[in-house]
Amino acid sequence: MNLRLRGRRKSDEPAAPEPAARPGMRSTRSPAEIAYQNLKLRVHRLLIERIDLGNLARLDLATANAELKVVIRQLIDEQPVPLSQRDRMLLTDEVLNEVHGLGPIEPLMRDPEISDILINSSRQVFVERLGKLEITPVVFRDDAHLLQIIDRIVSRVGRRIDESSPMVDARLPDGSRVNAIIPPLALDGPSMSIRRFGIHRITVEDLVRFGSLPAQMVDVIRAMVLGRLNILISGGTGSGKTTLLNCISSFIPEHERIVTIEDSAELHLQQPHVVRLETRPENVERRGEVTQRDLLRNSLRMRPDRIVIGEVRGGESLDMLQAMNTGHDGSISTIHANSARDSVNRLEMMMQMAGFNLPSRAMRQQIALAIDVVIQTARFSDGTRKVTSICELSGMEGDTIGMQELFTYRREGVDTDG
């Protein structure tokens, strides 16, 4: 099936106005760069006018891309602009990314070394590569162009973003997590953050090879999972909590029924008996919201052997602790905290968000009875992520939760690589 070309017409769109540079952003684009962006826009618009979108939708992706490349090359040949062979190939790929991909950031999405793509505005894009932030030469044509890409992402998962709902969480088909925020909340234009997941799933063996944890620690964690201990993985943002959770979940026996609960689906468990649940935000009428607490309560009726919560962050902490104390041993969750002791204190604060006025000692007893082990992760200045501590909760000691450290990582210095 070939894409039917429509009638040709000349397109003399005026150049898009150049926005004023803001502090910390790239300087004003050169005339050559503006001309290139306008050429790409012109070819893209001509492509949309000339292809039959009905036929395009019926083609598989590989065939559609091959047909589109032929049409794009024809359109480039019609432009009165001298281009080298390399520039023609680059322009073809970029226009194709505008149709089927994520525009200028599509090449970044294909780079296996990039773990985060941070778009501060249409003029400024950072990436985290091998644990370190660096700026990229990638720019969008303007704020409207960036907003178009954001809308394309969120609409695929049934979400919406506009002035009445200017924040959204979504995910890409590969599981990458996306957060976007637009004006009037974002003062310098639309902003988007993409937390990527590698093409190849990281295993425990990979973590040992990276130096994130020693092999002896892996043996202990495996025994904890097989022994159905309740585990809480603690750490700061970007410290590798979800990656570690994915890795240690591989130790769960395949015959057990697992229910996962997440705000944005990130976990990729390999067992055959897994039920994945995801929260839902409220709709335009401010109705229909389904929280983690709602899903957790429902999961108790689904006969789970283990409950895995992507991250505990609110009133669902009370229901999670009660589930751990009433027959759902071996459950695992993550929490944002800077130390094992801080994670226990945060759990106590979250229990108060459930709406019950419980005495402090009662809440601490509930935590001490439910949580068996806290695994602490951290991200260091050189970009590496390590398991820095494994603590066992040993019950109540007066009004304090007793904790015994089984493993600890001590940094003795800084080498030439930081």
Side-chain angles (χ1 to χ4, degrees), residues 158-412:
R159 305 284 174 88
R160 56 187 286 270
I161 186 167
D162 51 38
E163 287 191 4
S164 61
S165 179
M167 295 185 297
V168 69
D169 281 310
R171 69 175 183 274
L172 297 173
D174 65 354
S176 299
R177 186 175 66 193
V178 179
N179 175 272
I181 183 168
I182 65 173
L185 300 186
L187 300 181
D188 292 332
S191 176
M192 180 167 60
S193 305
I194 301 177
R195 171 65 58 85
R196 294 193 59 226
F197 291 92
I199 300 175
H200 305 290
R201 182 172 177 266
I202 295 179
T203 65
V204 176
E205 290 74 19
D206 293 327
L207 295 182
V208 174
R209 190 173 68 254
F210 298 155
S212 297
L213 73 171
Q216 301 94 318
M217 191 181 289
V218 173
D219 296 334
V220 173
I221 294 176
R222 180 186 289 108
M224 290 174 176
V225 175
L226 294 176
R228 299 184 64 85
L229 299 185
N230 295 319
I231 299 174
L232 187 65
I233 301 175
S234 169
T237 301
S239 62
K241 300 185 299 297
T242 303
T243 299
L244 181 61
L245 176 53
N246 267 318
C247 290
I248 69 175
S249 67
S250 64
F251 300 143
I252 299 176
E254 293 191 353
H255 64 271
E256 295 187 9
R257 176 176 171 84
I258 308 168
V259 176
T260 67
I261 299 171
E262 301 174 84
D263 268 338
S264 181
E266 300 177 77
L267 299 175
H268 299 280
L269 276 63
Q270 302 302 306
Q271 288 79 358
H273 202 167
V274 178
V275 179
R276 304 173 68 205
L277 306 179
E278 185 180 40
T279 61
R280 184 179 68 186
E282 58 188 13
N283 57 22
V284 182
E285 292 79 22
R286 305 297 181 186
R287 298 177 181 176
E289 181 182 18
V290 180
T291 65
Q292 282 198 138
R293 192 173 187 187
D294 298 327
L295 294 177
L296 182 54
R297 288 174 173 175
N298 185 79
S299 70
L300 299 178
R301 307 183 184 99
M302 298 172 65
R303 199 256 173 224
D305 289 309
R306 298 181 192 241
I307 300 174
V308 177
I309 302 177
E311 181 185 340
V312 58
R313 62 181 69 191
E316 71 274 2
S317 58
L318 178 60
D319 300 273
M320 179 190 74
L321 295 174
Q322 289 179 331
M324 290 177 172
N325 278 324
T326 55
H328 297 91
D329 297 332
S331 297
I332 310 173
S333 182
T334 72
I335 189 172
H336 271 80
N338 292 326
S339 67
R341 177 63 65 181
D342 286 347
S343 68
V344 172
N345 294 336
R346 284 208 69 208
L347 269 182
E348 184 177 343
M349 293 178 59
M350 291 176 184
M351 292 175 69
Q352 299 175 22
M353 299 170 63
F356 297 100
N357 188 17
L358 300 175
S360 294
R361 181 174 175 82
M363 290 188 289
R364 291 169 188 170
Q365 285 178 330
Q366 187 85 343
I367 295 172
L369 291 172
I371 304 295
D372 297 303
V373 176
V374 177
I375 301 177
Q376 183 68 34
T377 62
R379 174 181 169 182
F380 291 87
S381 57
D382 63 347
T384 60
R385 297 165 172 87
K386 297 183 184 296
V387 175
T388 58
S389 173
I390 296 182
C391 288
E392 176 189 10
L393 272 64
S394 55
M396 294 292 294
E397 298 176 359
D399 290 335
T400 305
I401 298 175
M403 303 184 73
Q404 179 179 354
E405 200 162 42
L406 306 180
F407 290 91
T408 184
Y409 172 83
R410 292 191 179 93
R411 184 170 60 179
E412 297 179 348

Side-chain angles (χ1 to χ4, degrees), residues 47-159:
L47 177 67
I48 298 302
E49 292 172 3
R50 295 193 182 188
I51 62 176
D52 189 325
L53 296 177
N55 285 342
L56 181 65
R58 288 191 288 270
L59 295 174
D60 62 87
L61 184 60
T63 304
N65 284 342
E67 297 280 356
L68 285 172
K69 283 186 176 182
V70 173
V71 180
I72 293 171
R73 292 188 185 113
Q74 292 177 2
L75 294 173
I76 293 175
D77 290 339
E78 296 172 5
Q79 304 305 310
V81 179
L83 293 174
S84 65
Q85 186 64 27
R86 178 181 176 277
D87 288 340
R88 288 174 179 271
M89 295 175 58
L90 180 63
L91 182 58
T92 300
D93 291 339
E94 290 187 3
V95 174
L96 190 63
N97 290 336
E98 294 291 340
V99 178
H100 272 160
L102 299 180
I105 63 173
E106 186 67 26
L108 304 180
M109 295 295 298
R110 299 181 188 142
D111 190 334
E113 294 183 345
I114 293 177
S115 57
D116 286 274
I117 301 174
L118 309 173
I119 303 170
N120 296 342
S121 71
S122 61
R123 304 290 309 283
Q124 190 182 69
V125 179
F126 281 84
V127 297
E128 180 183 293
R129 190 190 306 271
L130 302 178
K132 295 185 177 182
L133 288 176
E134 58 184 61
I135 195 168
T136 71
V138 173
V139 295
F140 292 82
R141 187 171 58 251
D142 49 31
D143 287 350
H145 185 202
L146 173 55
L147 191 58
Q148 178 185 7
I149 299 298
I150 293 175
D151 188 64
R152 182 183 302 174
I153 292 173
V154 301
S155 61
R156 289 176 179 173
V157 292
R159 305 284 174 88

